[in-house]
């Protein structure tokens, strides 16, 4: 997430406390055994983006994630995507997020399910990433870009840390042609820190940053596709999450929001 002026608003929006305890409690109430949490169990509560775990699985498939791929989870939240990738594919993941409470929760959850050696998490911004050039085969991001005003800088950072031939995959919700969306939304209570852009603008910014082989799979990233057993994002995001999700669904159905799932490549 951006380190610009919207940073404090974004941190305040996401910075809830007792995240790990609330996740474990919700899973226990749903009838799950939480004495030895696994990554698949936590994935029923840690997928904070639209579409939940099914969307994560589809993104991983389109991105071509494999065991040999070193992944940067850019804007990792509480680490749901990181844990899915590390557990499912056995790949090494480095993760970064702007919100301190998310970073702390991600580290605790990684340790609980035995993935602390596979995933490292640090606090920081996706517009100023503390990584060497050409370090990763893949940069992964889920519904982070809506909170980033300076997308050219984020995309420039993504291509900088990618190896030649590496891929950047991200889900995004863009501005639709039918007018402003209804707030509050999952990523913002109001428009002051919601930076959508149109689909054409997002794809143009990627080309301007130097990405090639850009594809947009918008048909697989919409809301309403969470799998059975998912306890819902309200566990992490707060009691008003159902209202925010309803606003997102209504805005999408009316053409005010356009879900995107993009895969782009750094030229070899």
């Amino acid at each position: 997430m951006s380190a610009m002026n919207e940073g404090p608003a974004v941190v305040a929006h996401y910075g809830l406390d007792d995240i790990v305890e609330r996740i474990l409690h919700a899973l226990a109430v749903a009838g799950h055994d939480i004495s030895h949490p696994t990554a698949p169990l936590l994935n029923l509560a840690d997928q904070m983006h639209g579409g939940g775990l099914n969307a994560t699985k589809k993104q991983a498939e389109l991105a071509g994630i494999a065991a040999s791929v070193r992944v940067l989870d850019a804007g990792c939240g509480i680490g749901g995507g990181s844990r899915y990738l590390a557990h499912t594919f056995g790949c090494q993941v480095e993760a970064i997020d702007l919100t301190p409470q998310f970073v702390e929760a991600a580290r605790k959850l990684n340790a609980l399910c035995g993935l602390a050696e596979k995933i490292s998490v640090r606090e920081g911004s996706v517009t100023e990433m503390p990584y060497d050039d050409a370090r990763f085969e893949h940069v992964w991001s889920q519904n982070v870009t809506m909170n980033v005003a300076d997308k050219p800088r984020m995309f420039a950072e993504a291509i900088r840390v990618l190896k030649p031939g590496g891929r950047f995959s991200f889900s995004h919700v863009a501005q639709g042609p039918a007018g402003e969306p209804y707030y509050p939304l999952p990523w913002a209570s109001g428009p002051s820190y919601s930076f959508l852009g149109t689909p054409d603008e997002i794809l143009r910014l990627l080309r301007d940053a130097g990405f090639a082989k850009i594809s947009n799979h918008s048909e697989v990233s919409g809301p309403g596709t969470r799998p059975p057993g998912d306890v819902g994002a309200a566990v992490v995001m707060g009691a008003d999450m159902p209202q925010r999700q309803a606003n997102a669904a209504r805005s999408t159905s009316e053409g005010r929001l356009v879900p995107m799932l993009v895969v782009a490549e750094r030229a070899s």
Side-chain angles (χ1 to χ4, degrees):
M1 295 174 181
S2 174
M4 298 173 64
N5 290 337
E6 71 273 11
V10 172
V11 170
H13 180 79
Y14 291 108
L16 301 176
D17 294 320
D18 303 319
I19 293 172
V20 174
E21 292 78 7
R22 286 189 281 112
I23 285 175
L24 294 177
H25 175 73
L27 290 170
V29 169
H32 298 288
D33 180 5
I34 62 169
S35 58
H36 299 287
T38 64
L41 175 60
L42 295 176
N43 283 162
L44 296 176
D46 63 12
Q47 306 294 302
M48 297 163 53
H49 51 87
L53 183 58
N54 284 340
T56 297
K57 291 178 177 179
K58 190 64 179 181
Q59 182 172 337
E61 176 188 338
L62 292 169
I65 303 296
S68 60
V69 173
R70 179 178 287 272
V71 177
L72 170 62
D73 189 348
C76 66
I78 61 170
S82 298
R83 282 184 291 279
Y84 175 79
L85 298 177
H87 172 80
T88 304
F89 301 99
C91 54
Q92 201 72 31
V93 182
E94 298 187 44
I96 188 169
D97 199 89
L98 190 66
T99 303
Q101 293 93 328
F102 281 179
V103 172
E104 179 184 8
R107 288 172 176 163
K108 288 181 178 178
L109 292 168
N110 293 342
L112 281 173
C113 68
L115 288 175
E117 298 302 315
K118 280 288 189 181
I119 308 168
S120 63
V121 190
R122 65 196 300 177
E123 186 179 331
S125 170
V126 298
T127 62
E128 192 173 355
M129 295 194 283
Y131 303 105
D132 294 336
D133 294 356
R135 178 172 176 81
F136 302 97
E137 282 85 17
H138 195 90
V139 175
W140 167 281
S141 191
Q142 294 180 290
N143 283 26
V144 174
T145 38
M146 294 95 76
N147 289 128
V148 179
D150 195 348
K151 289 178 180 59
R153 188 172 174 184
M154 178 182 178
F155 294 166
E157 281 288 88
I159 204 167
R160 177 185 67 79
V161 302
L162 277 172
K163 295 180 179 180
R167 291 178 175 177
F168 175 32
S169 71
F170 65 97
S171 57
H172 176 73
V173 183
Q175 176 69 54
E180 289 295 310
Y182 301 106
Y183 289 94
L185 289 163
W187 59 88
S189 297
S192 63
Y193 54 101
S194 179
F195 309 101
L196 305 181
T198 67
D200 286 345
E201 288 170 344
I202 299 299
L203 299 177
R204 176 181 57 78
L205 290 173
L206 286 167
R207 291 191 296 269
D208 291 347
F211 282 102
K213 298 182 180 178
I214 302 168
S215 57
N216 176 27
H217 307 266
S218 57
E219 72 279 1
V220 300
S221 60
T225 58
R226 289 180 176 269
D230 191 307
V231 301
V235 174
V236 176
M237 298 295 292
D240 68 336
M241 191 61 174
Q243 178 198 355
R244 291 191 261 158
Q245 290 173 319
N247 285 343
R250 179 186 176 192
S251 296
T252 300
S253 67
E254 294 183 9
R256 298 170 184 270
L257 293 175
V258 179
M260 301 177 70
L261 178 53
V262 179
V263 180
E265 187 173 305
R266 176 178 174 175
S268 300

